[in-house]
Each structure stands twice: as structure tokens, then as C-alpha cells.
Amino acid sequence: MENLKKIQLRYELPLQSHLSENLSEIEWVKELCPEAEFYGDAYDRFGLFGADCRTVMAHCVYSDEREIQRMKENDVFVAHCPESNMNVCSGIAPVRRFLDERLHVGLGSDVAGGADLSIFTAMMHAIQASKLRWRLVDDSLKPLSAAEAFYLGTKGGGAFFGKVGSFDPGYVFDAVVLDDSRISDVEEQSIADRLERFLYLHQEQDIKAKYVAGEELFR
């Protein structure tokens, strides 16, 4: 961990790792770093938990009050990987709690624990996972709405890179052009309803163009 910090400082790199994904992992960290107050503190003791080191922590399924507060104080980003939560069966992250606490939260597809790299699929799974958590684990945390899941997959996660993930004034022009005619309804729908429908029924062929920083990647 000390050497990781040296590398981070030398090259001015951000750090991404896992945090509190499952209970056995938490116990293992206690064995490796018994002086740490909690899992995140094991990183923080070496300067690898936000503050002067831009940090993204994946999962955070079992983050307790102390860990959540430290993440909030240090501006640590949470990468919620809902499909991984369901496939690995370690538990489902309390994303509603993170949003209520105004933590930085974005979405991840998890290349090992997930089967689809599409961020739209991750949005759909985030909604579904939050419903399972609400119904089976903690009914005090209401499920995510489609608008909230869309935020996590755009502006929420994009904040780590600066002003990206939104069409607000001053933001970098990153965009995808969507064609939902294949899944359109016979009745006229609002933009919000069409977007929610797209999250559940989209295919790669429905994405017609992509732009990054104003540059067209493909059409």
C-alpha cells in the first residue's frame, strides 16, 4: 500500500479498487490491517481513499456509517455494479442511501461479474436490483426511478472526469443518438417514458451515433 501511494504520487494517478463487497472480504481486511477502524480506513491510512487521491470504489455493499461518512468527507466516488451484485450474490448496494447522503455515485458494468458492457443495461439492472433490495432486504430505502438510474449512468459517474454527462451549459458535448422507432408504442409517449422504455428494450443497433468532446466517433 505504501508503494501504491508512491506510484500514485509520482504519476498523479487516480485510484480504483473494491470496497466492502462481501462479508468474508471485510473480515480478511481486518486480518491484514487490524489497526484499521473499517475497510475504507485501511486505504485511508495510506492516503488512498479520496482527499488528495481521486478515488473510485466499486460495490460498497456493506459500507457502514463510519465508512459512508469517510467517503462523504473525502469525496470518494462509488461505482455501483448492479449486475455484479446479482451474479456474485454478495448482496445489493444501498444506492438510495448513498444518494440521500449526497455521495458521488456512478454505474459500472463490471467486466468480470457482469455479462453486458452497455451502460443502458446497467441502468436497467440498477432499477431492478434496487427493487429487490427494497422488497427483500430493507423496505425503508425505496427503489430507484428510471430518471435516477439515468443520472447515475451519465452525470453521476461523469462527475469524476469533470463537467461531462450532461447537456447543461459549460459541459463537454458527449452524446449518443438513439433511434427508438423499433420499440415505439402506438400511443404517443413523453420523452421520459420513451427513455425508460429504451432502457429495458434497447439493442446496440438502436444507437445510431456517438460523440465524445464534440467529436463524432461513428455514425
Side-chain angles (χ1 to χ4, degrees):
M1 296 289 275
E2 290 175 352
N3 287 330
L4 271 178
K5 182 59 181 178
K6 291 176 183 177
I7 294 171
Q8 186 268 320
L9 288 173
R10 179 175 179 180
Y11 296 101
E12 298 182 350
L13 296 171
L15 178 127
Q16 187 272 314
S17 190
H18 284 203
L19 184 69
S20 300
E21 182 179 10
N22 61 67
L23 297 175
S24 60
E25 177 188 27
I26 293 171
E27 289 303 314
W28 188 39
V29 171
K30 286 181 181 179
E31 293 177 14
L32 294 173
C33 192
E35 67 275 14
E37 298 176 36
F38 47 88
Y39 195 154
D41 187 50
Y43 290 106
D44 206 13
R45 287 171 178 268
F46 296 93
L48 297 170
F49 201 64
D52 64 340
C53 174
R54 296 174 62 244
T55 303
V56 180
M57 287 292 169
H59 307 305
C60 307
V61 174
Y62 296 102
S63 294
D64 61 17
E65 298 291 334
R66 300 168 300 169
E67 195 160 84
I68 290 173
Q69 184 59 34
R70 189 75 60 83
M71 286 192 286
K72 187 174 182 178
E73 293 170 354
N74 290 11
D75 284 330
V76 172
F77 277 72
V78 176
H80 174 44
C81 303
E83 189 179 15
S84 177
N85 283 180
M86 293 182 280
N87 283 333
V88 180
C89 298
S90 293
I92 301 171
V95 180
R96 167 67 58 201
R97 174 71 196 286
F98 297 155
L99 291 177
D100 289 346
E101 292 288 343
R102 299 188 180 280
L103 266 64
H104 301 294
V105 189
L107 290 181
S109 55
D110 197 321
V111 295
D116 195 324
L117 297 180
S118 169
I119 202 67
F120 290 114
T121 301
M123 294 176 194
M124 174 189 69
H125 285 147
I127 297 168
Q128 294 173 327
S130 71
K131 288 178 178 178
L132 286 173
R133 196 181 198 285
W134 166 74
R135 184 66 181 87
L136 301 175
V137 180
D138 183 357
D139 62 7
S140 70
L141 297 178
K142 65 180 182 179
L144 298 175
S145 67
E148 289 170 325
F150 185 75
Y151 166 81
L152 294 177
T154 54
K155 195 174 184 178
F160 183 80
F161 302 98
K163 288 201 166 187
V164 299
S166 174
F167 293 145
D168 288 341
Y171 276 68
V172 174
F173 183 72
D174 295 338
V176 291
V177 179
L178 310 177
D179 180 2
D180 66 346
S181 59
R182 183 185 60 82
I183 56 176
S184 62
D185 202 339
V186 293
E187 297 182 359
E188 186 173 349
Q189 295 179 315
S190 68
I191 293 295
D193 287 341
R194 288 170 62 187
L195 179 60
E196 183 170 3
R197 189 182 182 92
F198 189 88
L199 300 187
Y200 284 91
L201 301 176
H202 75 280
Q203 295 179 3
E204 188 65 26
Q205 69 198 54
D206 302 321
I207 300 175
K208 299 304 181 182
K210 292 183 181 180
Y211 295 82
V212 174
E215 179 180 349
E216 185 179 85
L217 297 186
F218 81 88
R219 177 178 291 276

